[in-house]
Amino acid sequence: MNKKKKTVLAVISVALVAVIAVGGVLTVHFTRAPKKAQYVTEEVKAKSPDKIKVGIISDCQLPQEEKHLYGWDYMTVTGGLSHLVRAMKYFKAQDVDMIVLNGDVVNAMGDYAAYSAYNKILDYVFGEDRADMPHIIFPMGNHEFYGGNQEYVYHKATGLPLNARTVVNGYSFISISNSRLEKGDEELAKELGVPADGTYNPKRIAFLKEQLEISAKADPEKPIFVFLHMPVDATIAGGHWATPQYEEIYAILKQYPQAVVFTSHSHYCLSDERSIMQKDFTMVNTGTSSYFDFDWVDLESEDSKFYGLTEAELVDGTKDVLKNRDYLIHPEKIGIFKSDDVPNRDHVNNGMMLDVDVKANRFTLQKLNFDTELPFGETFEMDAFTKESFTRTSEKLGKGEANTFPTKYIKAEPVGKNVTVTFAAADQKTPAKYYYYEVENAEGTVLPIRFFAKNYILGSNLDYLEQNILRDMAPGSYTLRVYAVNSFGLKSTDFLSTTFTVGE
């Protein structure tokens, strides 16, 4: 257990960087985390010999400067701070055995306020002695490396190992941290079109390989839970934001169909049906607990200019460069001119609960909204760990199920050149990722508009009304058709329709 209280004062009190001025020359000596914290194997006992409960969360992005912490008032601040407090309170109420923070808990080193916030949150939720705090696994993400002396400060602030195999009631949980750039990473990242800062050095990859071998030999019938901040395959939602070492890591993992690999980083929503996918092993996107992110692609974007994309290709979305990306179509018509304008983007607070039934050798994964404390989406279960038993492969899922509109309510209210559109959301049994407007004028010209569904961003199964405003519409008569698009890009055949007229 991680019981020892560590605050920012402990971090500042340590000589993070030894600075020696010699003859007017400033020399900086960087210190690494101690060797004993680099690669660790540890054993943890769950509260019950028959059950393991694990809370999983990632990408909290705690503010790196104290001026953004609002005097440590966790009940009123927004974003990752208050979101993490709610998640930790939920995990405490659920009496979990372990909490996994899958990287990017801090946004950057900054003035060490982010790690101070991390410790203060743990003290606030579990008490300053942390006597009953669950065990914590916290592999470093790319944001933990924004600043100096990253590994040393991380370890001094958290007291946690950088890379570990944690054995709980006989089940292995393997985690490896991001690392500093190695030679050639920049070139590989440029070739893949991914950030170069999400790298894993050879020693960490070797540790992953070694611990997978050990875990599989210990019991080849059990799942092996693996935690990496960076994705390793484009199959899952957000997977195209992969680590530059994705091929090397994937080649190791594909030897273990019993591996259940949790990755983060993309900030893609857990509502996406591609958040859990299977190929050679099981891949899980852990979502985000700070803000939802997506690819900003329009005719002026770098992707569009580089690949010479046309508007028709953006609408069609089947070109290779587009098919794994999430983006809006004509968002300016509903008042979205930049990613920050997307409604509810900063209100996402999602994670997962992993329940392992030791006696049955079975586990379930449930998606959670920590603000509402309600589960959403499908409950995923595995009780067999061979490729033949996989149920969520691309081949088996195909395009998924089309959305339907059981409640045929839609209203369009013009006021001047703007039109307020309100409609009943599609059936929540099949998550709608986008809503797609076809706005057709009297001459038959169709303006396509695509935007993210509210429940897709927030994480919810509850029925609701969607609403936005069509802006700056030319005078004339229009027909509006509303379709829903699922996570696999399948547009519904069912739709809502209404007409409206914009005056002179």
Side-chain angles (χ1 to χ4, degrees):
M1 300 293 175
N2 310 293
K3 298 178 182 178
K4 190 174 181 181
K5 179 184 177 185
K6 294 180 182 293
T7 67
V8 69
L9 299 177
V11 176
I12 294 173
S13 67
V14 179
L16 300 177
V17 180
V19 180
I20 305 173
V22 181
V25 177
L26 191 67
T27 305
V28 181
H29 296 277
F30 292 98
T31 310
R32 298 192 67 182
K35 284 187 177 180
K36 64 181 180 180
Q38 293 288 328
Y39 302 95
V40 171
T41 56
E42 55 188 2
E43 188 164 347
V44 174
K45 288 186 177 181
K47 297 176 179 67
S48 165
D50 301 329
K51 305 284 184 183
I52 308 170
K53 294 188 72 173
V54 183
I56 301 169
I57 191 171
S58 71
D59 295 275
C60 312
Q61 317 282 153
L62 297 177
Q64 67 263 31
E65 296 180 6
E66 191 161 359
K67 65 183 179 181
H68 297 306
L69 300 182
Y70 302 98
W72 308 114
D73 184 358
Y74 296 117
M75 302 311 294
T76 59
V77 298
T78 59
L81 282 163
S82 57
H83 290 185
L84 183 56
V85 169
R86 292 190 188 110
M88 288 296 190
K89 284 185 171 181
Y90 181 87
F91 292 149
K92 181 181 180 182
Q94 295 296 313
D95 198 25
V96 299
D97 299 296
M98 189 159 62
I99 295 172
V100 179
L101 304 165
N102 205 34
D104 282 10
V105 173
V106 306
N107 197 50
M109 286 289 298
D111 58 12
Y112 313 115
Y115 280 118
S116 179
Y118 162 83
N119 279 294
K120 285 177 179 286
I121 288 170
L122 294 183
D123 289 350
Y124 173 69
V125 175
F126 298 105
E128 293 192 5
D129 61 358
R130 303 188 189 177
D132 297 318
M133 191 176 77
H135 187 81
I136 289 181
I137 294 175
F138 176 1
M140 297 173 74
N142 58 301
H143 275 263
E144 272 80 22
F145 277 85
Y146 293 166
N149 259 21
Q150 307 99 329
E151 295 177 5
Y152 183 74
V153 175
Y154 159 85
H155 178 66
K156 294 301 292 186
T158 67
L160 299 171
L162 278 67
N163 313 282
R165 179 168 68 95
T166 305
V167 182
V168 186
N169 290 14
Y171 286 80
S172 290
F173 295 76
I174 303 171
S175 58
I176 62 172
S177 288
N178 276 175
S179 57
R180 294 185 181 90
L181 286 172
E182 297 288 321
K183 185 177 179 181
D185 286 344
E186 292 95 335
E187 292 79 5
L188 182 58
K190 186 175 181 181
E191 179 185 330
L192 297 173
V194 299
D197 52 16
T199 62
Y200 295 93
N201 67 36
K203 288 184 179 178
R204 296 187 187 185
I205 295 174
F207 178 78
L208 172 64
K209 181 179 180 180
E210 173 190 70
Q211 297 306 317
L212 281 165
E213 291 174 354
I214 292 171
S215 302
K217 286 179 181 177
D219 194 331
E221 302 300 320
K222 285 181 178 176
I224 304 170
F225 302 105
V226 177
F227 296 90
L228 310 167
H229 182 68
M230 306 295 295
V232 294
D233 187 79
T235 305
I236 61 166
H240 61 284
W241 291 99
T243 173
Q245 286 79 20
Y246 80 100
E247 286 186 329
E248 184 178 1
I249 295 174
Y250 191 96
I252 294 168
L253 289 167
K254 73 178 295 184
Q255 301 174 55
Y256 301 94
Q258 69 268 50
V260 184
V261 183
F262 295 82
T263 60
S264 309
H265 182 62
S266 69
H267 290 234
Y268 270 37
C269 288
L270 270 184
S271 304
D272 201 296
E273 293 180 89
R274 298 169 303 150
S275 287
I276 302 174
M277 295 291 290
Q278 294 172 306
K279 194 173 171 181
D280 294 301
F281 48 89
T282 301
M283 295 170 281
V284 183
N285 166 40
T286 62
T288 176
S289 57
S290 54
Y291 62 91
F292 159 52
D293 215 351
F294 62 99
D295 305 289
W296 188 266
V297 182
D298 58 25
L299 292 178
E300 299 302 316
S301 68
E302 290 185 11
D303 272 351
S304 293
K305 290 178 179 179
F306 181 81
Y307 292 100
L309 298 172
T310 65
E311 178 160 329
E313 288 171 331
L314 287 178
V315 173
D316 180 68
T318 57
K319 205 162 186 178
D320 280 350
V321 70
L322 295 173
K323 65 182 181 181
N324 287 324
R325 285 164 168 74
D326 292 352
Y327 60 96
L328 307 176
I329 297 172
H330 286 302
E332 73 283 354
K333 292 304 294 184
I334 55 172
I336 298 172
F337 300 93
K338 58 185 184 302
S339 58
D340 286 347
D341 295 333
V342 173
N344 301 300
R345 184 176 179 235
D346 296 333
H347 298 161
V348 187
N349 192 12
N350 295 164
M352 289 182 159
M353 184 70 76
L354 168 66
D355 286 282
V356 182
D357 183 331
V358 175
K359 281 189 173 181
N361 193 34
R362 177 179 62 236
F363 75 84
T364 58
L365 264 177
Q366 180 63 65
K367 300 174 181 180
L368 292 165
N369 181 326
F370 296 118
D371 288 340
T372 63
E373 297 190 350
L374 294 174
F376 65 93
E378 76 279 15
T379 299
F380 177 69
E381 181 176 300
M382 283 188 78
D383 57 8
F385 306 99
T386 62
K387 287 181 67 173
E388 293 72 27
S389 68
F390 288 174
T391 59
R392 296 195 63 82
T393 64
S394 294
E395 294 75 19
K396 288 183 178 179
L397 293 173
K399 286 287 187 178
E401 293 184 17
N403 299 100
T404 60
F405 290 91
T407 303
K408 304 295 184 182
Y409 174 79
I410 183 170
K411 189 174 185 179
E413 299 176 285
V415 178
K417 292 184 178 180
N418 295 341
V419 182
T420 299
V421 178
T422 307
F423 63 92
D427 189 343
Q428 298 299 298
K429 291 178 183 177
T430 299
K433 179 174 184 174
Y434 305 107
Y435 287 105
Y436 186 86
Y437 287 170
E438 288 182 350
V439 187
E440 183 175 356
N441 64 17
E443 289 74 37
T445 301
V446 175
L447 173 69
I449 301 170
R450 188 172 76 176
F451 57 94
F452 291 109
K454 178 181 177 181
N455 272 12
Y456 177 81
I457 294 176
L458 292 178
S460 174
N461 292 340
L462 302 178
D463 294 331
Y464 70 103
L465 295 178
E466 281 276 0
Q467 185 178 82
N468 49 39
I469 299 174
L470 293 172
R471 302 176 185 239
D472 197 25
M473 299 296 294
S477 298
Y478 295 88
T479 298
L480 170 64
R481 292 179 292 274
V482 181
Y483 298 84
V485 182
N486 73 5
S487 300
F488 300 97
L490 179 64
K491 190 171 82 170
S492 63
T493 54
D494 194 11
F495 63 92
L496 305 175
S497 182
T498 190
T499 60
F500 61 89
T501 300
V502 176
E504 293 290 344

